Amino acid sequence: MRSAAPVRLGVNIDHVATVRNARGGVHPDPVRAALLAMAAGADGITAHLREDRRHIRDADMARIKAEVALPLNFEMAATDEMVAIALKTQPHACCLVPERREERTTEGGLDAAGQAAELGPKIAILRDAGIRVSLFIAPDLRQIEAAQALSADIVELHTGAWCDHRAAGEAAEAEAEFLRLQAGATLAATLGLEVHAGHGLDYATAEMIAGFEEIAELNIGHFMIGEAIFSGLDAVVQRMRACIAKGRADPRLEHVA
Ligand code: PXP
């Protein structure tokens, strides 16, 4: 057992909006889900306003900010339109994510190194407005160094490849990716960046990754919203919190694949 600071749980509510939009109405309401998640113990709400508005819409973002008393992590592409909306919304943090193929690294995260000239001014505008800036990147040492050079406050390490390899039973690849995540978290913390992680996490993988003492926050959506169909969102948030707390207190970093 050890006592590192607790890992914050950010609940991503995008997929509540996906279900709502499937019928074009107002039910289920993502803001209601955010309020439920808050009541169940979530530490933050994450929502992605995509350029195509495929799930979360502008009005959802404004309502989350107005009605939910938790830090809002506003996921967005680094476009002028999104920067303007973020400045109006004033979220706690903006997490810059790739939406177009050419903005991604081969691993799927934002190409912070290759896109530095485009990202730099946008990061500066957001930070000048008092918004913390997070970059969603692969656990690639070059990308992490680029995030620091761009004055990002936070890196969110992309756990999707690790989770995919585990799900496919590809033990060697999963192990290699886990080691990359571990090395990435260590480098980012050494460079003074706050370290978050997310994408594809479930109870087991969240518990494992919470064992990295550098990790301050996990952002989790798809699994939790899907699992809420069976167990209810409040029970899912509570169980996820318990898994994360267990992983943090008693890391089992040897069973990664
Ligand atoms: N973090 C970021 C930056 C994301 O883009 C997403 C997916 O929207 C998540 C975390 C959550 O991923 P998942 O829905 O697979 O849990």
Side-chain angles (χ1 to χ4, degrees), residues 8-250:
R8 294 191 301 274
L9 170 62
V11 176
N12 181 317
I13 54 165
D14 292 348
H15 295 299
V16 179
T18 304
V19 175
R20 175 195 63 190
N21 297 357
R23 283 291 172 94
V26 295
H27 184 84
D29 177 12
V31 181
R32 183 174 166 200
L35 290 166
L36 248 176
M38 178 172 75
D43 300 295
I45 298 298
T46 291
H48 183 179
L49 185 65
R50 295 184 63 98
E51 291 177 89
D52 62 8
R53 309 307 199 261
R54 105 170 39 144
H55 35 60
I56 293 292
R57 298 178 182 143
D58 301 57
D60 296 323
M61 272 301 184
R63 285 184 57 224
I64 296 165
K65 172 69 184 170
E67 298 176 32
V68 184
L70 281 180
L72 168 60
N73 180 32
F74 186 141
E75 269 185 38
M76 57 185 238
T79 62
D80 290 336
E81 183 202 13
M82 288 300 153
V83 169
I85 296 171
L87 293 178
K88 209 166 56 176
T89 309
Q90 284 291 311
H92 174 72
C94 281
C95 180
L96 303 183
V97 301
E99 284 188 19
R100 284 186 292 266
R101 189 82 255 153
E102 64 272 17
E103 296 166 345
R104 300 174 188 208
T105 64
T106 45
E107 294 85 6
L110 191 67
D111 185 7
Q115 302 257 314
E118 296 80 21
L119 292 170
K122 299 198 168 61
I123 292 170
I125 292 170
L126 293 167
R127 294 189 77 233
D128 285 350
I131 300 168
R132 305 187 78 218
V133 176
S134 171
L135 302 185
F136 181 50
I137 55 175
D140 176 322
L141 305 186
R142 206 172 125 253
Q143 297 296 340
I144 294 164
E145 284 163 358
Q148 190 220 22
L150 283 164
S151 300
D153 301 282
I154 302 161
V155 286
E156 179 160 326
L157 299 180
H158 196 320
T159 50
W162 171 52
C163 294
D164 287 348
H165 287 310
R166 275 177 50 90
E170 295 160 356
E173 290 85 348
E175 168 99 31
E177 194 59 27
F178 189 80
L179 294 174
R180 269 166 38 88
L181 285 162
Q182 211 163 24
T186 303
L187 174 66
T190 305
L191 294 177
L193 293 156
E194 185 170 309
V195 187
H196 298 180
H199 209 279
L201 295 173
D202 59 13
Y203 292 135
T205 47
E207 180 178 331
M208 284 183 255
I209 200 100
F212 295 1
E213 56 190 336
E214 298 88 355
I215 299 261
E217 179 172 310
L218 297 177
N219 287 306
I220 312 178
H222 186 265
F223 173 80
M224 294 182 74
I225 300 304
E227 196 61 16
I229 293 168
F230 307 113
S231 314
L233 187 56
D234 51 355
V236 172
V237 170
Q238 285 163 15
R239 183 163 165 200
M240 186 59 84
R241 283 199 64 95
C243 289
I244 291 170
K246 183 163 177 282
R248 166 92 347 162
D250 189 12

